[in-house]
Amino acid sequence: RHIEIKSGFAGLKGGGNETFLQLNIPRLSRQLKLVNPYATNACFINASVQLFRMTGYTHFILGLKTFQENQKISKALCDIFTGKENSVKSLRTLMAHFTKKQYYDDNSQQDSVEFLEDLEVAIYDEIGLTSIRDDHWGSEELTRHFSGNEEGRCFNGHMPVAMNQEFLFLKLRLNDANSEVTFQQLIDLHFSSNMDIEPVKCSNCCQCSKKTPPSVRTFSGDCKKKPAIEKCVFTMLPKFLFSQIIRWDNSGKKNEQFVQIDKEGFIFDSYNYQPIAIISHEGSSKDSGHYITHRKNENDEWILCNDYQITRSSLDEANSKNNYVILFQRVDIVIPLDSLVQDMELIENKESD
């Protein structure tokens, strides 16, 4: 296994083996048929709501008997989840007001990842429970080593400082658009210890101020950029893992590489993450085209949510060149010790060869 887990990470107590789909939520509507009136471009919100329905926030929101004045977004979601409302019009207006992003409410197509990030922040702002937030946020430590020596120091002997950062979305890069790739391979690539990155400066050596305009910064001597590699290490694993496949480059060109997501998901250490919802984007630009969601229903079966149309589907149908956002749920499992020993022996034998 190519993934490293730091010992002592937080956020795994009380995980249990139950899945969110088995929780007793009698008020939850079986199907969310959300309208997308002509020229309103509501599909990016409809798809986001279908995926957000599968998170741990839903159980708490539906458990609220009354909503405070400052919980309007939570109430709007509750009305949608319980079938009282089949339009996201009120939700998008509230989100535009909360985020100060008026384009959420001007009938334009927007990015579902941006909306989901803002929605999670808004719900947490209203309910304020850190324990629920911790179920959805992870953290990773990013280290950068300069090339040319085993310790990874710069030529003046400085060791790059490790950075620990929280994330809601685990963002994964694609590689060759002409070949198929599995989600596990994207994970392995992200946590590979020899991932090349752009040349970087040593922060201890460089004399340039952060306020120095890029046009006049020095790129020679101690300020010269040097080849480096980076390595990511998980420091906290969430119960619900949002993942984004980065399909657009800086120029806006879409990478249509086929990504295969297995029903077993993938394994981090002794914890298995299984897919429960997938947003796909059909079209060349994330600000246009069409968003749909494949997700599991209460019977653990995959369905396709295409605005007001809800049809039976499968994980195979969600695997495509368009899958964009994947929501995984952690299922705590125990890997037999003899299996781990065999894996270590295979790795050692391969390295000796």
Side-chain angles (χ1 to χ4, degrees), residues 106-212:
D106 65 0
N107 294 333
S108 64
Q109 182 76 289
Q110 300 298 327
D111 182 17
S112 62
V113 170
E114 179 184 5
F115 184 81
L116 280 167
E117 289 175 331
D118 288 338
L119 181 62
E120 192 276 339
V121 171
I123 297 300
Y124 175 68
D125 183 73
E126 290 187 352
I127 64 178
L129 286 181
T130 303
S131 59
I132 297 181
R133 181 184 186 274
D134 289 345
D135 282 343
H136 302 81
W137 281 75
S139 64
E140 59 184 1
E141 183 181 86
L142 175 65
T143 58
R144 289 179 173 175
H145 292 174
F146 290 106
S147 304
N149 62 84
E150 293 183 0
E151 293 183 342
R153 299 179 182 273
C154 74
F155 57 76
N156 284 328
H158 298 128
M159 179 67 75
V161 178
M163 298 178 292
N164 195 71
Q165 52 192 16
E166 283 190 312
F167 65 86
L168 176 63
F169 275 84
L170 181 64
K171 299 178 182 290
L172 302 177
R173 290 181 286 180
L174 295 170
N175 43 36
D176 186 0
N178 296 320
S179 62
E180 295 185 9
V181 65
T182 66
F183 191 86
Q184 182 68 64
Q185 289 173 328
L186 295 182
I187 289 289
D188 292 344
L189 176 64
H190 182 78
F191 290 96
S192 174
S193 60
N194 60 352
M195 183 184 295
D196 293 328
I197 61 173
E198 294 292 327
V200 295
K201 294 184 176 185
C202 174
S203 58
N204 294 299
C205 295
C206 183
Q207 303 301 314
C208 296
S209 168
K210 291 183 178 179
K211 297 182 179 180
T212 304

Side-chain angles (χ1 to χ4, degrees), residues 12-234:
L12 295 177
K13 291 184 178 180
N17 292 317
E18 77 282 356
T19 66
F20 171 71
L21 296 172
Q22 294 170 330
L23 292 174
N24 182 23
I25 309 179
R27 296 171 57 196
L28 190 61
S29 176
R30 287 179 175 268
Q31 294 186 344
L32 298 183
K33 295 184 177 182
L34 303 177
V35 297
N36 183 10
Y38 177 73
T40 62
N41 290 307
C43 65
F44 79 98
I45 301 182
N46 290 347
S48 299
V49 167
Q50 292 284 2
L51 182 135
F52 199 81
R53 177 190 195 267
M54 306 298 292
T55 68
Y57 283 102
T58 299
H59 190 223
F60 180 84
I61 291 174
L62 294 179
L64 294 175
K65 294 182 179 180
T66 58
F67 292 90
Q68 305 299 321
E69 180 63 24
N70 63 345
Q71 295 177 327
K72 293 181 179 179
I73 296 177
S74 297
K75 184 179 185 304
L77 272 181
C78 184
D79 289 343
I80 295 173
F81 290 156
T82 55
K84 294 180 180 179
E85 182 61 67
N86 68 351
S87 170
V88 296
K89 180 175 176 55
S90 175
L91 175 64
R92 70 189 302 176
T93 299
L94 291 169
M95 285 297 296
H97 178 75
F98 174 81
T99 61
K100 306 282 194 296
K101 297 177 179 178
Q102 294 306 314
Y103 52 78
Y104 279 157
D105 199 27
D106 65 0
N107 294 333
S108 64
Q109 182 76 289
Q110 300 298 327
D111 182 17
S112 62
V113 170
E114 179 184 5
F115 184 81
L116 280 167
E117 289 175 331
D118 288 338
L119 181 62
E120 192 276 339
V121 171
I123 297 300
Y124 175 68
D125 183 73
E126 290 187 352
I127 64 178
L129 286 181
T130 303
S131 59
I132 297 181
R133 181 184 186 274
D134 289 345
D135 282 343
H136 302 81
W137 281 75
S139 64
E140 59 184 1
E141 183 181 86
L142 175 65
T143 58
R144 289 179 173 175
H145 292 174
F146 290 106
S147 304
N149 62 84
E150 293 183 0
E151 293 183 342
R153 299 179 182 273
C154 74
F155 57 76
N156 284 328
H158 298 128
M159 179 67 75
V161 178
M163 298 178 292
N164 195 71
Q165 52 192 16
E166 283 190 312
F167 65 86
L168 176 63
F169 275 84
L170 181 64
K171 299 178 182 290
L172 302 177
R173 290 181 286 180
L174 295 170
N175 43 36
D176 186 0
N178 296 320
S179 62
E180 295 185 9
V181 65
T182 66
F183 191 86
Q184 182 68 64
Q185 289 173 328
L186 295 182
I187 289 289
D188 292 344
L189 176 64
H190 182 78
F191 290 96
S192 174
S193 60
N194 60 352
M195 183 184 295
D196 293 328
I197 61 173
E198 294 292 327
V200 295
K201 294 184 176 185
C202 174
S203 58
N204 294 299
C205 295
C206 183
Q207 303 301 314
C208 296
S209 168
K210 291 183 178 179
K211 297 182 179 180
T212 304
S215 59
V216 297
R217 288 179 185 173
T218 303
F219 294 96
S220 61
D222 287 346
C223 296
K224 183 179 180 180
K225 289 186 176 182
K226 310 164 188 70
I229 59 175
E230 71 178 18
K231 182 179 182 180
C232 290
V233 180
F234 261 127

Side-chain angles (χ1 to χ4, degrees), residues 206-351:
C206 183
Q207 303 301 314
C208 296
S209 168
K210 291 183 178 179
K211 297 182 179 180
T212 304
S215 59
V216 297
R217 288 179 185 173
T218 303
F219 294 96
S220 61
D222 287 346
C223 296
K224 183 179 180 180
K225 289 186 176 182
K226 310 164 188 70
I229 59 175
E230 71 178 18
K231 182 179 182 180
C232 290
V233 180
F234 261 127
T235 53
M236 185 171 71
L237 296 172
K239 185 173 182 180
F240 296 93
L241 176 65
F242 292 86
S243 180
Q244 175 192 5
I245 299 175
I246 301 177
R247 290 198 172 276
W248 287 273
D249 60 21
N250 293 332
S251 67
K253 182 180 179 181
K254 184 178 180 180
N255 186 324
E256 296 187 336
Q257 185 173 17
F258 188 98
V259 178
Q260 174 76 31
I261 304 169
D262 298 326
K263 65 178 181 179
E264 294 83 7
F266 54 90
I267 294 177
F268 285 156
D269 196 22
S270 59
Y271 299 93
N272 177 221
Y273 279 89
Q274 297 180 356
I276 56 176
I278 300 171
I279 292 178
S280 297
H281 174 273
E282 301 169 342
S284 59
S285 170
K286 60 184 176 183
D287 297 331
S288 61
H290 187 59
Y291 287 93
I292 59 175
T293 298
H294 292 82
R295 65 170 175 81
K296 287 187 173 182
N297 62 12
E298 68 280 356
N299 296 321
D300 208 33
E301 300 169 336
W302 284 92
I303 58 175
L304 169 61
C305 306
N306 185 359
D307 293 329
Y308 197 76
Q309 296 180 338
I310 308 294
T311 57
R312 290 184 179 181
S313 185
S314 66
L315 181 57
D316 288 339
E317 291 185 12
N319 288 325
S320 70
K321 62 182 181 180
N322 293 319
N323 41 23
Y324 180 43
V325 179
I326 305 98
L327 177 64
F328 294 89
Q329 184 174 14
R330 195 185 72 228
V331 181
D332 300 347
I333 62 174
V334 178
I335 301 178
L337 180 60
D338 57 350
S339 175
L340 293 177
V341 172
Q342 291 175 7
D343 286 350
M344 291 302 299
E345 290 177 347
L346 288 173
I347 294 174
E348 291 173 358
N349 293 335
K350 193 170 184 179
E351 290 178 348

